[in-house]
Amino acid sequence: FTATARVDATKKPAQIDLSYQDGPAKGMTFKGIYRLEGGKLFLCCHPTSRPEAFETPEDTDYFLFTLSK
């Protein structure tokens, strides 16, 4: 998948919008929050509403990723 990211680190928590250019999510923008901590990127996003916390409540479509080098 190819996506562009727009970030706003001045918000608390920091915000990210991921706009997809191809694949099944083409044309969609996922709203999210992120934090960098100890060489890891924590990212929580949703296709329509921005998460308020780094969690995935039951029966929701929230995504939570932890990425590291």
Side-chain angles (χ1 to χ4, degrees):
F1 305 106
T2 304
T4 57
R6 194 181 95 231
V7 298
D8 186 348
T10 65
K11 303 286 185 180
K12 298 297 179 209
Q15 296 181 355
I16 187 167
D17 291 338
L18 299 169
S19 299
Y20 289 89
Q21 279 77 47
D22 59 18
K26 183 178 180 178
M28 296 178 70
T29 298
F30 282 61
K31 298 176 182 298
I33 56 175
Y34 73 94
R35 81 172 183 260
L36 295 168
E37 186 178 295
K40 293 183 179 178
L41 170 64
F42 297 88
L43 174 65
C44 188
C45 58
H46 187 268
T48 59
S49 63
R50 190 174 314 280
E52 295 180 9
F54 293 93
E55 56 188 31
T56 54
E58 240 179 89
D59 298 324
T60 66
D61 293 330
Y62 286 79
F63 299 95
L64 181 60
F65 301 96
T66 303
L67 307 171
S68 61
K69 288 184 175 184

